[in-house]
Amino acid sequence: MRYLSTRGHADRKQFCEILLEGLAPDGGLYLPEHYPVVDAATLSAWREVYLKQGYADLAFEILSLYIDDIPADDLRALCRKTYTAAVFGSPEIVPLKKLQDAATDASQAGFYLQALSNGPTLAFKDMAMQLLGNLFEYELARRNEELNILGATSGDTGSAAEYAMRGKKGVRVFMTSPNGRMSPFQQAQMFSLLDENIHNIAIDGVFDDCQDIVKAVSNDLAFKRQYKIGTVNSINWARLLAQVVYYFAGYFQLPESATGGKASFTVPSGNFGNVCAGHVARMMGLPVHQLVVATNENDVLDEFFRTGVYRVRVGADTHETSSPSMDISKASNFERFVFDLLGRDAAQTADLFGRQLSDQGFFDLSAHPAFQQAATRYGFVSGKSTHADRLQTIRETYQRFGTVVDTHTADGVKVAREHLTPGVPMLVLETALPIKFAATIEEALGRPPERPPGFDGIEALPKRVKLMPADVALIKAYVAEHAH
Ligand SMILES: *Cc1c(COP(=O)(O)O)cnc(C)c1O
């Protein structure tokens, strides 16, 4: 399998070549030349693999269709090392929890949460990042190279990256975050890591300042080359590929999967990475009826799926919400889907995401024949949720089912209910655990969420964090001093 750029002007590359890269050199995103399609016999064989041998072996089956340049035995070993019950909390790795009671319309085939948040940092990003850590270590050792990951986080990404890379040979992490803006739990999670290869940098500023610093450093090509600077952001194809696996694993846990029946997924969305993996799974032949994109007040994606207009928000139009990991002004993975939607026309994709977005800040596909196909052919629908919806959904889900959902998952549950199809089970992806966003849970339920075992008192652990001004030169000097 080779990989091409959505903008059509980059060389075709193999998996390990793009593993350590961000954007393609032409500014596009990498995608496989084609999606391998699996037939009913393969689906039922994979179902057996998952149910009898486990998630890691299912991951190997799927990944091996996309990765030619890692020997099969090594790839299987990497999957088995990553997806263990010890790290992800259960043998199923991504277990389903049914939310159904007598009050639910009997014609519904089932409403489920798919738990993706029982990894080390209690958010779904661990599912991909843990694999990425092992892939990086493997590939860097093979090349005898090192990598310094420079990132910006408002919470979930940074801690998932640090827990995945801690103690890994050849990798160092320099993670900037806005000082004092993450939840106390998130700060404790990140700053209590004392591993030598992990550097927390609290920036005196907001998240955008952190992102600007990372961009400025990445644009200094000489510095980037000298200090082997890399990223782990959500446009990395390996992250997206790792997420494809749990759509299959979710489906295989349904009774319908024995007969090839369909299921729908609702995905709390920000940068469109998670739901794009669902799109890939569907293109591979997973029987997905609908992919429901759930947004919060930052409804860039909902607006597109409703109207055909994709309008990037300016800073002042980007809201700080109680589901902060979905607070985006643009969806960095969206270009991948639009490329497929336009029949993989790279020239048109480059025109939309290159010229039109930079000239006018939006593009409009409402009159394009492809736009209707987003729903009819690709199964995409969408909805939006607000702070009031979130509180109401958290309360109701607790009262009816005794289950506390986090704020992002609540957005998913709210929007999923608006898109139920009789006879089709609905799986809502649970993207974080409530303890990460305790203040809003307390607002909804009048008491703080439960703390999973092993997280007691983490706020009191010793912290290692460097406080710095939002100054590119100083950050560069810090990286240069510690990047060896
Ligand atoms: C990152 C994140 C999301 C958004 O996922 P995307 O892949 O960016 O769409 C949703 N919920 C939580 C809790 C997250 O951490």
Side-chain angles (χ1 to χ4, degrees), residues 13 17 79 116 129 151 167 204 231 237 361 380 389 438 459 468:
K13 292 184 176 167
E17 294 177 272
C79 291
L116 304 178
M129 211 67 94
D204 191 8
T231 58
W237 165 255
F380 272 93
D389 294 327
E459 287 88 345
M468 297 186 76

Side-chain angles (χ1 to χ4, degrees), residues 34 59 88 107 110 139-140 181 200 205 208 246 250 260 299 308 316 375 418 438 448:
H34 67 274
F88 288 96
S107 70
E139 183 59 16
L140 289 168
R181 304 232 172 193
N200 286 304
D208 278 340
Y246 53 69
D299 57 352
E418 299 163 352

Side-chain angles (χ1 to χ4, degrees), residues 28 43 107 167 196 267 381 393 413 419 465 483:
L43 274 178
S107 70
E196 278 211 18
V267 187
V381 292
T393 306
V413 169
H419 291 281
V465 56

Side-chain angles (χ1 to χ4, degrees), residues 129-457:
M129 211 67 94
Q130 287 286 317
L131 180 72
L132 202 67
N134 286 325
L135 284 169
F136 274 19
E137 187 177 53
Y138 174 87
E139 183 59 16
L140 289 168
R142 206 158 64 154
R143 296 182 184 192
N144 196 20
E145 281 179 14
E146 297 198 339
L147 184 71
N148 292 299
I149 294 166
L150 177 66
T153 189
S154 55
D156 291 341
T157 306
S159 56
E162 292 188 354
Y163 280 77
M165 305 296 166
R166 64 188 297 199
K168 293 275 185 290
K169 287 185 277 301
V171 190
R172 265 170 237 99
V173 179
F174 297 87
M175 190 57 65
T176 62
S177 60
N179 187 34
R181 304 232 172 193
M182 293 188 294
S183 76
F185 187 88
Q186 287 177 315
Q187 294 186 41
Q189 262 189 327
M190 276 181 65
F191 300 163
S192 64
L193 285 181
L194 304 178
D195 305 72
E196 278 211 18
N197 69 330
I198 303 296
H199 298 270
N200 286 304
I201 305 174
I203 298 289
D204 191 8
V206 295
F207 177 58
D208 278 340
D209 297 316
C210 302
Q211 268 190 317
D212 289 345
I213 291 168
V214 173
K215 252 183 238 155
V217 175
S218 301
N219 286 339
D220 182 343
L221 295 181
F223 184 88
K224 198 174 160 192
R225 206 170 306 123
Q226 182 178 0
Y227 292 103
K228 308 201 177 341
I229 304 293
T231 58
V232 286
N233 49 27
S234 79
I235 57 166
N236 185 299
W237 165 255
R239 274 183 69 180
L240 206 142
L241 178 58
Q243 293 172 354
V244 172
V245 179
Y246 53 69
Y247 285 87
F248 283 89
Y251 175 74
F252 291 148
Q253 292 175 71
L254 296 171
E256 285 77 5
S257 64
T259 56
K262 289 199 170 190
S264 291
F265 289 86
T266 299
V267 187
S269 293
N271 275 318
F272 204 76
N274 202 356
V275 74
C276 194
H279 163 67
V280 173
R282 193 174 182 274
M283 297 299 281
M284 291 176 70
L286 185 69
V288 175
H289 175 56
Q290 287 185 323
L291 290 165
V292 184
V293 177
T295 74
N296 64 17
E297 290 88 336
N298 297 291
D299 57 352
V300 189
L301 290 166
D302 181 44
E303 181 176 50
F304 174 78
F305 286 108
R306 276 186 299 105
T307 67
V309 175
Y310 180 70
R311 184 172 56 86
V312 170
R313 308 298 196 247
V314 294
D317 266 347
T318 310
H319 309 283
E320 264 190 52
T321 76
S322 48
S323 44
S325 298
M326 291 154 62
D327 291 351
I328 48 121
S329 53
K330 59 181 167 53
S332 50
N333 272 290
F334 188 52
E335 182 169 336
R336 288 193 158 109
F337 171 66
V338 172
F339 178 67
D340 284 344
L341 183 66
L342 297 173
R344 299 203 138 198
D345 183 331
Q348 251 191 88
T349 307
D351 184 58
L352 295 178
F353 285 88
R355 191 183 62 84
Q356 296 201 29
L357 282 190
S358 51
D359 286 3
Q360 59 190 29
F362 72 93
F363 61 73
D364 182 354
L365 291 183
S366 60
H368 195 294
F371 174 60
Q372 298 307 327
Q373 296 186 348
T376 56
R377 181 164 172 205
Y378 295 97
F380 272 93
V381 292
S382 71
K384 162 183 177 172
S385 164
T386 65
H387 182 69
D389 294 327
R390 229 163 273 142
L391 294 179
Q392 155 95 16
T393 306
I394 290 167
R395 243 177 250 134
E396 206 186 299
T397 308
Y398 178 64
Q399 284 160 3
R400 284 174 63 191
F401 309 106
T403 297
V404 182
V405 290
D406 106 288
T407 51
H408 307 76
T409 310
D411 291 333
V413 169
K414 188 264 179 183
V415 174
R417 288 223 176 100
E418 299 163 352
H419 291 281
L420 297 175
T421 308
V424 179
M426 173 63 81
L427 284 73
V428 178
L429 302 190
E430 178 196 58
T431 54
L433 290 196
I435 187 70
K436 295 196 90 168
F437 305 97
T440 308
I441 304 299
E442 197 154 359
E443 189 182 343
L445 301 180
R447 56 166 185 80
E450 212 174 278
R451 202 170 266 250
F455 290 87
D456 280 329

